[in-house]
Amino acid sequence: MQQKSKGTLNLPSTNTIVTNTSNSSVASTSVNNITATQIGSFGTNIATKYTVIDKNNFYYMVTYIAPVSAVNQTGKTYNSILASLKLN
C-alpha cells in the first residue's frame, strides 16, 4: 500500500509501458467491486503479474511472480487471493 502523492506526476501510460516490454499484456479486473489494472509479463524463466488497485488516497499493489513452468498451477491461487481481498 502506498499513499498517493500530492501534485501531478508525468508517468508513462500503461499502454506505453507494455509496448516497450516484450510478451506483456494489460487488463482490467475487479477486486472487491473496485476496478483494478493488471500488467503481466512472461519471460523465458519468470512470469509476473502486477495488480494495481486505486482506492481512496492509496494504491494497493499485489504482485505475482512464478516460474513459467508453474503458472498453470499457481495462477488460480493468485486470482483466489485477489477475490478474497477486503479493502475498507
Side-chain angles (χ1 to χ4, degrees), residues 1-5 54-60:
M1 176 175 65
Q2 178 178 349
Q3 189 167 9
K4 290 182 185 177
S5 333
D54 181 356
K55 180 164 171 121
N56 300 329
N57 290 323
F58 293 92
Y59 291 114
Y60 299 85

Side-chain angles (χ1 to χ4, degrees), residues 17-86:
I17 293 169
V18 169
T19 303
N20 293 326
T21 307
S22 61
N23 298 324
S24 298
S25 63
V26 173
S28 290
T29 188
S30 179
V31 176
N32 197 18
N33 295 323
I34 301 167
T35 301
T37 302
Q38 288 185 327
I39 302 170
S41 176
F42 283 84
T44 53
N45 298 318
I46 300 282
T48 59
K49 187 184 289 186
Y50 304 97
T51 303
V52 181
I53 305 161
D54 181 356
K55 180 164 171 121
N56 300 329
N57 290 323
F58 293 92
Y59 291 114
Y60 299 85
M61 187 166 162
V62 182
T63 305
Y64 164 79
I65 301 171
V68 173
S69 60
V71 169
N72 289 335
Q73 294 86 1
T74 59
K76 289 181 183 179
T77 303
Y78 176 73
N79 291 333
S80 296
I81 291 168
L82 288 177
S84 69
L85 288 178
K86 302 292 183 212

